[in-house]
Structure formats: structure tokens, C-alpha cells
């Protein structure tokens, strides 16, 4: 038994050894086979590029790569990756604890290949009984007096309407007028304290915006605070509406907005609104900074900060998920409908004269807002696009917003990254006016994850680099397809500059720059680019009858080299000058060359035989000086006529010229020289016939000219003297008549001159008595 036990024990050990050996061999063979497969795959991927082929040939469609012999396991084609990191089911009703879920999914992760879109479904289900916060924002300018009285009596109806919408409703109250500075409000101290009419007993001081009541579910508290409100007033028609909306939106803690609620601002007014820039009228230049400034429930920066712009208000309402309802009078409906177009998720309703219909207006506006779901996103980078396709019967086409009129809806969301991104980005998608948002974390797949062996000094790269997706990634100081070039003391940029012709593209984009020398690529047809900068190739010459170089020549560096007997840019013509010969037997009149049996004339000359040149200057003008010197030995060329006028090879002096209009030119003696000129074959070769007689002007009679000049001067002098005499005579007559007129107006006095004494003196004798 002892022997049998030993034998059995040894057999078991032997069998165990044999089993381990078999397993070892099997694993070894599998490992060896895997190694061989990896090596074969690596060898195949490294040698996929044929000699002369560019590395860009590795990138192609799946079908093209398979057709060219690439193994399927070597093709790296990243796919989009999508995962939902948070996907809680939608809630049916509002929860007492925790926030209800209206949007699904809540968080997703996307890794996208640039240019490849990915689509996923977004579901929205409005929760029944979702909390509602309603902030009643009222214009308390003097014209709203009767409206304020109506609101004081409608508190109960407002609460009942809110309870009809949801059991978890709250209401708040705020009021506004305008900035308390000129020209918006009368700044007289008495008018600031009582801006209403003198007959108005209940009038509160002017103010910009006042928060009256934070969100509350207590109907009695709301009625009590509203009953305390009094009317106020200002000067101009537009009000500080946008100031009030901005503060109600950004002062969330003061207003009492709940985190999980539908937020509504009901604005009632009968006038327009001031906007950004109007503050300059009062010298207010500081722009609105979209921050909360509340001091004792009053907007403390009203007189220091300009009105906000419509864009700023729309941004803050969207950011804080607030939906405005504009309850305005009929005359302001058009203005606020235009404003509503610029503020997403807003409604406009028309108030009656005293606002008694405001409750019904709010209910109708809320129903319109709640029945319409508009899904969109926040700001995106320029290289990311998001489009929405509504999955509802009345949904419109795909766009940057998705709109459906239903409580429970779905949208197909398509995200596309057009370019690679350096880092991951995040953005939010959700329905306008709702807090529920989907967070999308987006990154791009821009690297090929190749299964390369970790070999620092790969033999394939001449021991100077490692293989990365079939290509060599060289160490510093080495370049080339297989790291075969050592830069040494040279700079890599200088080596690459040697491959650029006229500082253009490296190797004309048709080869790789290796050690400062271009290694040209192979063309699809099998030939290669060639030349110092790979500028030449033999496949893009001109074709004739769909044949390269017409089949009558060879393509050499983009130009056709024709066989003997053929010519033309595409060797399309047999050499012949039959149709280029003139009746005289010359080819193209010596003023052109015969190409493809047609004359190619010098500039200006016309086919078919280059006989005429309409654009050239007429020979009657250009050859005039030569005709003068040849025929009469005068003119500027008289001293070197034979050298200067070689273009006229032959000329004759004749008695009469041939029929036709002759040329004529005036010589240095002002005589007219007549001639006829004819162009011979060649560019500048003429023959001329010159008329022997010239037409010279007759010499003038000098004596007659001199005599006539003297007589003319004399006559002119006499006429001038006569003219002067006449002028003086007329002047004298004028003065004489003036003198005579004055003389006739003279009146002489008849009084005696006191110093005058008569010649006769009479003396009376004093003693004479007369007897």
C-alpha cells in the first residue's frame, strides 16, 4: 500500500507538472502570437505610406483607407462620447420637501469629434401646483390715482386668482414714479414733499422706486400694506419703469424670491419709460451697473445712476428666471408690445381705465406664459453650435431656440463643436423663465489614441525618436520623415527656408523639406513632382481633344514640348504658314509670326495678315520730317538724313501724286510739302513719292504794313484826342448849366448900405427962419 500510495502521489505530481507546462506553453504561444500581431500591425502602419507619398495620405475616409490596403485594426476614427451624469426622473406634482424635477436629464458629458454633431433628447414636464411668486409693481404717478383705488379693493381677488393657479403662491408689492431731479421731477422743496395738485389731500413725497412688501402668503398683510399707499407725481410723461424692474430683479433677498418657484413681475402703468441715456438730461452720466441698492426699502442710487438699457433689463430678467407681465392702458399697448419683443418670456395685457380688470388680465397672461415652453442656452464660444428640434405637433423647424405649446414636451438637442478646444467648457440649457437647467460639459476629441509601443529610440526612426501613430516623433536636433536629418549647428527655420521659393510655401506644398532639400510627393497617376522646390510636374499641361498636349508632344514642367511638325500651347497644330502668306509672298507682312497657321501680329496690327494698325500713329505725321530732309534737304534731319531716315528705303520726286488724299507737312519755311507714303513688308519699312513743288505763302508788302501802321496810329491818336475833348466839353456844359440854375435862384436885398453916403450934402442954416 505504501508503494501504491507513492506511485499515485508521483503520478499526480507528474500530471500537475505536465498540466502547468501545457498551460505555460499555451500562454506563451498566445503571448507570442499577440506580439507577432502587434509587430505585424506596427510594421504595416509604419510602412503604409509609399515612397514619395505625403503623410497626409494617412487621413481619408474609412472606405478609401480599406481600399488602399489599411488594416481595420489600424484605422483610428474617434466617435462622439455621450454620458448622463445626472438623470433623475421627472416629478408629477410639487413636493413638500425638496425641489420638484421638471427637466431631464440634469447633467450630461459630451466629448465630440470636431465637425461631427451629436443629438440627445431633452424632456420637460411642468409640475402641477408648482410654487408661484408674484410681485405687483405699480406706477404711483398722479394719473394712476383711480387705478390705486381699484387695487386697494382687489386684494382678495388677487389672492383667489393666485390660489387658483397654485396652492403655494406668494405675492409682494412695490411702487415707482421717477428720479427726483430736474427735468423729471419738480425739485422745489414744497413740490418734492407734495408733487400732486393742491386739491389732492393724500399725496406722498416724490420717489424713484420703493419696495413695499416682500413675498408673503398672508392676504391681510398684503391688503394692509397696499391700503397705506398714496399717490405721488412728477413732471414729464415717461416714468422710471426700467429702474424699478431692474431693482426688483437683482434685489432677490429683499423681494423674497424663492429658489424653486415661477417668478412673475406684474407691472401696471399708463405711460412710457425712460431708458439708458435719458439720465444725461439731468447730468447723470454714470451707467447702470445692474446691482442692488436698497436703503430703507428705497432705491438709493436713483439720482446718481442712469436708467438701465432694455438689454440690461432683459439680461437680468432672464438670468433671474423672472417673467414680466406688462398691464398697460390702451394708448401704451403698442409701446410695450415692442418692448415685449426684446424681453423673452413676457406678456402684454390692456388695462381698463381704472384697472378693475387686472386680475383677469394676470390670469390670462400667466396661462399664455405657462403653456408656451421656449428652450435655449446661455452664452457659447464661437466654435460651438447648439440647435433644437421640437418634438411636438405644432413645433417649428430646428433653430437656436425650441418652442412648444404644451405642458409636457421633448426636444432633440444637437451639439456641434466646429474646432478643437484647449479645455473643457460648460454651458446651461433650459426653458426660459424656469430655474431648471441642464448642465452640459463639453470637450473635444482631437488626438488619435494609437496602440504604439513605448519605445523611446525606435529603429524605424533611426534611433532618434519614437513612433506615434505610424509616424516618427523626432528628438530635438533631428528632423525628417524617419529622423534621418541632423540639424547640427544650423537652425531648423533656416533649413526650412531653403525649401521655400521666393519665400513662398515650403516645397510648394508638394513635398517634405528634409535637411533643407525638398523630397517631392508622388502624384495619383504614379508620376512625381520634381524640381528644386517640387514646382514641376508632368500631368497638368494643356489638353486638346481630351489628350495631354494633344497627343503630339510631351508634358515637361507644366509646358508642352511638341513633336517635330507640331506647334501650339497644346501641340494641337501642324506647322504650316500657308494661311499666313500675303499676296506678295511674305509671312504676316513681316509684322508677326505664324502660329497654328494663323498670324500672331505685333501689338496694334490686325489679322489676318498684319497689314493695318488702326491704333498706331499715322505715318503722315511720323515721317514728315524725313520727307522734308529727303526731298528738299531742310529740316531738323538735314545734317544726318541718311542715318535718321533709314525707315524710308526708297523715295521719288514726282510732278503729280497718285490718286487719293495725299499727306502734307509744313517745312521750316512754312511751305506745304505734299507726299504719298506706302508701308512695305516689315515693321518700319516704307517707300514714298514726294511732290516737287511746294506751296509757300506770299511775302507781305512791308511798306504798306509800315504806312498802314503809321496812319492807323495817327488816326487812333486823333480819335483819342477828340474823345477827350468831347468829354471835357460835356463836363463844362454840365458845370455851366449848374451855374445858371444857381444864378436864377439868386434874390438881391433892397436895403441901403449903412456905410453908403450920397455925393450931395445938404446943410440947413440954423438961423434961417424961412422968411
Amino acid at each position: 500500500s505504501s508503494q501504491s500510495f507513492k506511485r499515485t502521489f508521483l503520478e499526480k505530481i507528474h500530471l500537475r507538472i505536465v498540466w502547468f507546462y501545457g498551460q505555460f506553453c499555451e500562454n506563451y504561444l498566445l503571448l507570442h502570437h499577440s506580439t507577432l500581431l502587434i509587430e505585424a500591425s506596427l510594421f504595416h502602419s509604419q510602412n503604409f505610406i509609399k515612397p514619395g507619398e505625403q503623410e497626409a495620405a494617412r487621413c481619408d475616409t474609412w472606405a478609401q483607407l480599406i481600399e488602399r490596403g489599411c488594416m481595420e485594426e489600424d484605422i483610428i476614427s474617434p466617435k462622439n462620447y455621450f454620458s448622463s451624469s445626472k438623470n433623475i426622473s421627472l416629478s408629477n406634482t410639487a413636493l413638500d420637501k425638496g425641489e420638484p424635477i421638471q427637466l431631464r436629464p440634469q447633467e450630461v458629458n459630451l466629448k465630440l469629434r470636431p465637425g461631427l454633431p451629436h443629438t440627445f433628447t431633452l424632456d420637460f414636464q411642468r409640475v402641477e401646483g408648482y410654487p408661484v411668486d408674484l410681485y405687483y409693481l405699480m406706477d404711483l404717478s398722479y394719473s394712476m390715482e383711480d387705478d390705486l383705488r381699484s387695487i386697494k379693493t382687489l386684494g382678495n381677488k388677487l389672492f383667489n386668482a393666485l390660489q387658483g393657479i397654485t396652492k403655494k403662491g406668494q405675492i409682494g408689492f412695490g411702487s415707482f414714479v421717477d428720479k427726483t431731479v430736474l427735468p423729471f421731477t419738480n425739485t422745489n422743496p414744497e413740490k418734492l414733499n407734495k408733487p400732486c395738485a393742491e386739491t389732492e389731500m393724500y399725496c406722498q413725497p416724490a420717489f424713484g422706486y420703493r419696495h413695499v412688501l416682500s413675498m408673503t402668503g398672508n392676504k391681510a398683510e398684503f391688503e394692509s400694506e397696499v391700503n397705506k399707499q398714496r399717490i405721488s407725481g412728477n413732471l414729464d410723461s415717461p416714468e422710471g419703469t426700467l429702474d424699478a424692474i431692474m431693482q426688483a430683479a437683482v434685489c432677490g433677498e429683499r423681494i423674497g424670491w424663492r429658489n424653486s418657484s415661477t417668478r412673475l413681475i406684474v407691472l401696471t402703468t399708463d405711460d412710457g419709460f425712460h431708458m439708458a441715456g435719458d439720465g444725461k438730461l439731468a447730468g447723470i452720466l454714470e451707467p447702470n451697473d445692474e446691482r442692488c441698492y436698497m436703503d430703507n426699502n428705497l432705491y438709493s442710487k436713483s439720482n446718481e445712476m442712469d436708467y438701465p438699457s432694455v438689454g440690461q433689463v432683459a439680461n437680468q430678467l432672464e438670468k433671474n428666471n423672472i417673467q414680466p407681465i406688462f398691464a398697460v392702458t390702451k394708448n401704451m399697448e403698442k409701446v410695450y408690445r415692442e418692448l415685449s419683443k426684446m424681453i423673452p418670456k413676457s406678456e402684454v395685457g390692456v388695462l381698463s381705465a381704472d384697472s378693475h380688470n387686472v386680475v383677469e388680465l394676470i390670469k390670462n397672461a400667466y396661462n399664455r406664459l405657462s403653456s408656451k415652453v421656449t428652450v435655449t442656452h446661455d452664452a457659447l464660444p464661437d466654435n460651438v453650435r447648439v440647435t433644437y428640434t421640437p418634438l411636438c405637433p405644432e413645433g417649428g423647424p430646428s433653430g437656436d431656440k425650441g418652442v412648444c405649446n404644451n405642458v409636457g414636451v421633448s426636444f432633440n438637442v444637437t451639439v456641434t463643436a466646429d474646432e478643437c478646444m484647449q479645455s473643457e467648457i460648460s454651458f446651461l440649457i433650459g426653458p426660459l423663465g424656469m430655474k431648471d437647467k441642464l448642465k452640459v460639459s463639453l470637450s473635444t476629441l482631437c488626438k488619435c489614441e494609437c496602440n504604439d509601443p513605448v519605445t523611446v529610440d525606435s529603429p524605424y526612426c533611426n534611433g532618434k525618436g519614437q513612433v506615434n501613430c505610424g509616424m516618427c516623433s523626432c528628438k530635438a536636433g533631428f528632423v525628417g520623415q524617419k529622423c534621418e536629418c541632423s540639424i547640427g549647428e544650423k537652425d531648423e527655420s533656416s533649413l526650412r527656408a531653403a525649401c521655400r521659393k521666393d519665400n513662398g510655401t515650403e516645397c510648394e506644398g508638394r513635398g517634405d523639406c528634409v535637411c533643407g532639400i525638398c523630397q517631392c510627393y508622388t502624384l495619383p497617376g504614379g508620376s512625381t513632382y520634381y524640381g528644386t522646390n517640387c514646382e514641376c510636374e508632368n500631368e497638368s499641361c494643356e489638353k486638346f481633344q481630351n489628350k495631354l498636349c494633344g497627343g503630339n508632344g510631351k508634358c515637361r514642367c507644366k509646358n508642352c514640348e511638341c513633336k517635330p511638325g507640331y506647334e501650339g500651347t497644346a501641340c494641337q497644330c501642324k506647322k504650316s504658314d500657308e494661311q499666313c502668306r500675303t499676296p506678295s509672298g511674305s509671312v504676316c507682312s513681316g509684322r508677326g509670326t505664324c502660329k497654328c497657321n494663323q498670324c500672331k501680329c505685333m501689338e496694334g496690327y490686325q489679322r489676318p495678315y498684319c497689314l493695318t494698325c488702326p491704333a498706331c500713329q499715322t505715318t503722315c505725321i511720323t515721317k514728315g520730317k524725313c520727307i522734308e530732309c529727303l526731298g528738299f534737304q531742310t529740316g531738323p534731319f538735314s545734317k544726318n538724313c541718311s542715318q535718321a531716315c533709314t525707315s524710308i528705303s526708297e523715295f521719288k520726286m514726282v510732278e503729280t501724286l497718285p490718286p487719293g488724299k495725299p499727306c502734307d507737312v509744313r517745312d521750316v519755311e512754312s511751305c506745304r510739302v505734299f507726299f504719298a507714303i506706302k508701308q512695305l513688308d516689315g515693321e518700319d519699312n516704307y517707300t514714298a513719292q514726294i511732290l516737287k513743288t511746294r506751296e509757300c505763302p506770299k511775302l507781305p508788302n512791308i511798306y504798306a504794313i509800315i504806312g498802314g501802321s503809321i496812319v492807323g496810329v495817327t488816326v487812333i491818336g486823333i480819335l483819342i484826342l477828340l474823345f477827350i475833348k468831347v468829354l471835357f466839353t460835356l463836363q463844362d456844359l454840365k458845370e455851366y448849366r449848374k451855374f445858371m440854375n444857381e444864378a436864377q435862384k439868386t434874390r438881391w436885398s433892397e436895403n441901403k448900405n449903412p456905410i453908403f453916403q450920397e455925393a450931395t450934402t445938404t446943410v440947413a442954416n440954423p438961423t434961417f427962419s424961412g422968411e
Side-chain angles (χ1 to χ4, degrees):
S1 64
S2 175
Q3 291 296 326
S4 62
F5 172 78
K6 289 180 181 179
R7 186 169 55 251
T8 303
F9 178 73
L10 290 174
E11 287 175 355
K12 288 182 178 180
I13 293 176
H14 176 71
L15 290 173
R16 180 66 66 180
I17 292 171
V18 170
W19 182 81
F20 274 115
Y21 179 74
Q23 288 293 102
F24 171 77
C25 290
E26 183 179 354
N27 291 336
Y28 174 77
L29 288 173
L30 288 172
L31 179 62
H32 182 65
H33 179 67
S34 299
T35 304
L36 290 175
L37 286 176
I38 292 172
E39 289 178 353
S41 177
L42 180 60
F43 176 80
H44 179 269
S45 64
Q46 290 172 351
N47 293 275
F48 178 70
I49 303 298
K50 297 177 178 61
E53 235 179 352
Q54 53 184 320
E55 292 288 357
R58 293 180 180 274
C59 297
D60 212 330
T61 62
W62 184 286
Q64 288 292 330
L65 290 173
I66 293 294
E67 184 180 345
R68 291 176 53 208
C70 185
M71 298 170 65
E72 287 192 20
E73 57 268 22
D74 288 338
I75 298 177
I76 307 299
S77 181
K79 304 294 182 182
N80 289 340
Y81 170 79
F82 172 83
S83 67
S84 178
S85 55
K86 189 176 181 181
N87 192 10
I88 304 174
S89 299
L90 299 174
S91 303
N92 293 324
T93 57
L95 305 175
D96 293 330
K97 295 182 179 180
E99 296 184 8
I101 306 299
Q102 300 185 108
L103 194 70
R104 179 182 183 185
Q106 295 82 37
E107 291 184 15
V108 297
N109 298 308
L110 277 173
K111 290 185 179 180
L112 301 183
R113 184 173 177 176
L116 184 64
H118 184 83
T119 301
F120 62 92
T121 302
L122 180 68
D123 298 320
F124 176 79
Q125 174 71 51
R126 190 181 297 276
V127 171
E128 184 180 349
Y130 196 75
V132 175
D133 287 341
L134 188 150
Y135 190 70
Y136 199 95
L137 189 56
M138 186 173 184
D139 175 9
L140 287 187
S141 58
Y142 189 70
S143 57
M144 294 286 288
E145 182 182 13
D146 54 347
D147 302 85
L148 179 60
R149 285 197 297 267
S150 294
I151 295 302
K152 289 180 179 180
T153 63
L154 291 175
N156 190 43
K157 290 185 178 180
L158 270 175
F159 263 92
N160 290 338
L162 194 59
Q163 291 296 316
I165 295 171
T166 176
K167 299 299 182 182
K168 298 181 179 181
Q170 290 188 348
I171 194 168
F173 189 85
S175 59
F176 65 93
V177 183
D178 207 345
K179 296 183 184 294
T180 55
V181 290
L182 282 173
F184 311 125
T185 303
N186 192 334
T187 55
N188 184 297
E190 294 182 1
K191 281 292 183 181
L192 277 177
N193 288 328
K194 188 180 180 182
C196 312
E198 294 295 333
T199 56
E200 177 63 46
M201 296 180 59
Y202 303 102
C203 181
Q204 64 174 320
F207 63 95
Y209 161 71
R210 173 181 284 117
H211 170 58
V212 178
L213 177 66
S214 298
M215 292 295 172
T216 179
N218 190 324
K219 179 173 62 176
E221 185 180 4
F222 175 78
E223 290 181 342
S224 172
E225 290 298 329
V226 172
N227 284 329
K228 295 177 183 177
Q229 300 307 305
R230 293 178 294 165
I231 209 70
S232 186
N234 62 323
L235 288 177
D236 62 345
S237 294
E239 316 295 1
T241 311
L242 299 188
D243 262 347
I245 297 176
M246 176 62 75
Q247 291 301 302
V250 297
C251 297
E253 293 184 0
R254 293 293 186 95
I255 305 300
W257 300 114
R258 287 175 288 183
N259 289 332
S260 55
S261 65
T262 299
R263 302 176 179 182
L264 303 175
I265 288 181
V266 178
L267 183 133
T268 57
T269 183
D270 62 349
D271 246 320
F273 51 88
H274 284 294
M275 63 180 69
D278 288 355
K280 292 181 180 179
L281 297 172
I284 301 173
L285 304 178
E286 185 178 351
N288 196 286
D289 62 4
E290 304 178 40
R291 295 171 63 184
C292 177
Y293 295 100
M294 297 292 286
D295 188 7
N296 293 326
N297 289 334
L298 276 174
Y299 176 32
S300 58
K301 293 281 187 176
S302 176
N303 296 343
E304 302 173 23
M305 202 170 288
D306 196 6
Y307 300 97
S309 66
V310 174
Q312 287 177 306
V313 170
N315 178 61
Q316 287 299 331
L317 288 174
E318 184 177 352
K319 182 179 178 181
N320 292 283
N321 303 311
I322 299 173
Q323 305 171 63
I325 298 173
F326 301 111
V328 298
T329 52
K330 184 65 179 177
N331 62 319
M332 285 290 111
E333 181 184 6
K334 185 176 179 181
V335 174
Y336 280 88
R337 288 207 181 276
E338 291 298 319
L339 176 62
S340 179
K341 292 178 183 178
M342 294 182 278
I343 299 179
K345 293 291 285 183
S346 61
E347 283 292 332
V348 178
V350 178
L351 282 172
S352 59
D354 59 355
S355 298
H356 70 272
N357 67 331
V358 68
V359 176
E360 192 65 26
L361 186 152
I362 293 172
K363 288 172 64 177
N364 294 336
Y366 175 78
N367 290 333
R368 290 195 296 270
L369 286 173
S370 60
S371 63
K372 181 179 178 181
V373 180
T374 303
V375 175
T376 187
H377 50 265
D378 56 9
L380 292 174
D382 294 335
N383 57 348
V384 176
R385 290 178 287 119
V386 180
T387 56
Y388 304 88
T389 304
L391 302 179
C392 52
E394 73 284 358
S398 300
D400 58 353
K401 289 183 180 179
V403 181
C404 274
N405 295 323
N406 209 330
V407 176
V409 293
S410 297
F411 300 88
N412 276 343
V413 182
T414 302
V415 184
T416 308
D418 295 321
E419 299 174 359
C420 291
M421 297 184 296
Q422 298 294 329
S423 58
E424 183 180 272
I425 65 164
S426 296
F427 59 93
L428 299 177
I429 293 176
L432 291 177
M434 298 287 175
K435 184 189 176 189
D436 301 76
K437 302 294 179 185
L438 162 65
K439 180 181 179 182
V440 180
S441 299
L442 174 63
S443 58
T444 51
L445 295 167
C446 293
K447 293 182 179 180
C448 291
E449 297 179 0
C450 304
N451 296 321
D452 294 316
V454 184
T455 305
V456 178
D457 299 325
S458 172
Y460 177 76
C461 302
N462 292 311
K464 302 297 188 299
Q466 65 182 40
V467 177
N468 185 10
C469 291
M471 297 183 294
C472 285
S473 178
C474 303
K475 291 181 178 179
F478 294 92
V479 293
Q481 195 171 16
K482 294 185 179 181
C483 307
E484 67 273 21
C485 177
S486 175
I487 296 176
E489 296 180 357
K490 294 183 179 180
D491 182 60
E492 184 177 358
S493 59
S494 63
L495 287 175
R496 293 191 177 278
C499 297
R500 298 189 185 100
K501 183 181 180 181
D502 300 327
N503 203 26
T505 308
E506 194 174 284
C507 298
E508 299 294 322
R510 299 168 174 175
D512 294 323
C513 185
V514 180
C515 295
I517 299 173
C518 287
Q519 290 186 355
C520 303
Y521 297 145
T522 303
L523 286 162
S527 61
T528 60
Y529 293 103
Y530 63 94
T532 307
N533 298 101
C534 305
E535 69 274 13
C536 294
E537 45 89 10
N538 298 336
E539 292 186 3
S540 62
C541 289
E542 190 175 341
K543 290 184 178 182
F544 179 70
Q545 294 180 346
N546 206 28
K547 293 180 180 179
L548 201 64
C549 296
N552 302 316
K554 292 184 178 180
C555 184
R556 300 290 185 192
C557 197
K558 304 179 186 178
N559 294 314
C560 288
E561 293 181 359
C562 302
K563 294 178 181 178
Y566 291 91
E567 62 182 353
T569 55
C571 303
Q572 72 273 27
C573 310
K574 287 186 177 181
K575 283 188 177 180
S576 174
D577 59 5
E578 182 180 349
Q579 296 182 19
C580 297
R581 290 194 175 275
T582 63
S584 64
S586 67
V587 176
C588 301
S589 303
R591 293 185 284 276
T593 57
C594 189
K595 296 288 185 182
C596 288
N597 212 14
Q598 286 187 337
C599 285
K600 187 178 181 180
C601 302
M602 297 173 59
E603 185 178 359
Y605 288 91
Q606 291 184 333
R607 291 185 345 185
Y609 300 116
C610 310
L611 288 174
T612 58
C613 181
C616 298
Q617 195 173 7
T618 175
T619 51
C620 290
I621 298 174
T622 58
K623 303 302 178 184
K625 292 182 174 60
C626 283
I627 293 296
E628 181 183 354
C629 91
L630 290 171
F632 304 98
Q633 293 77 44
T634 59
F637 297 154
S638 59
K639 293 183 180 180
N640 60 340
C641 192
S642 58
Q643 291 82 14
C645 300
T646 55
S647 60
I648 301 177
S649 58
E650 183 181 350
F651 73 96
K652 289 181 181 181
M653 303 297 295
V654 295
E655 297 292 339
T656 59
L657 293 174
K661 185 179 180 181
C663 297
D664 70 277
V665 66
R666 287 193 180 274
D667 60 10
V668 293
E669 297 176 359
S670 296
C671 296
R672 294 179 68 189
V673 179
F674 296 92
F675 64 98
I677 191 166
K678 180 181 179 182
Q679 189 173 17
L680 304 176
D681 291 340
E683 182 182 357
D684 197 15
N685 189 17
Y686 299 89
T687 180
Q689 295 182 23
I690 307 171
L691 195 65
K692 290 181 179 180
T693 57
R694 299 181 293 171
E695 285 187 4
C696 297
K698 294 180 180 180
L699 293 174
N701 189 337
I702 298 175
Y703 298 106
I705 293 173
I706 294 174
S709 299
I710 293 173
V711 171
V713 170
T714 304
V715 171
I716 291 171
I718 293 171
L719 291 174
I720 291 173
L721 291 174
L722 288 174
F723 180 72
I724 293 172
K725 180 63 177 174
V726 170
L727 286 177
F728 283 144
T729 301
L730 291 174
Q731 183 68 20
D732 291 344
L733 286 173
K734 183 179 179 182
E735 292 294 330
Y736 177 73
R737 290 192 188 97
K738 183 179 180 181
F739 171 75
M740 292 301 296
N741 289 334
E742 294 293 333
Q744 290 176 2
K745 296 176 182 179
T746 304
R747 295 289 182 268
W748 299 99
S749 176
E750 295 181 357
N751 294 330
K752 291 184 178 181
N753 191 345
I755 63 172
F756 175 75
Q757 291 183 359
E758 293 185 4
T760 303
T761 304
T762 302
V763 178
N765 187 355
T767 60
F768 179 67
S769 59
E771 295 180 358

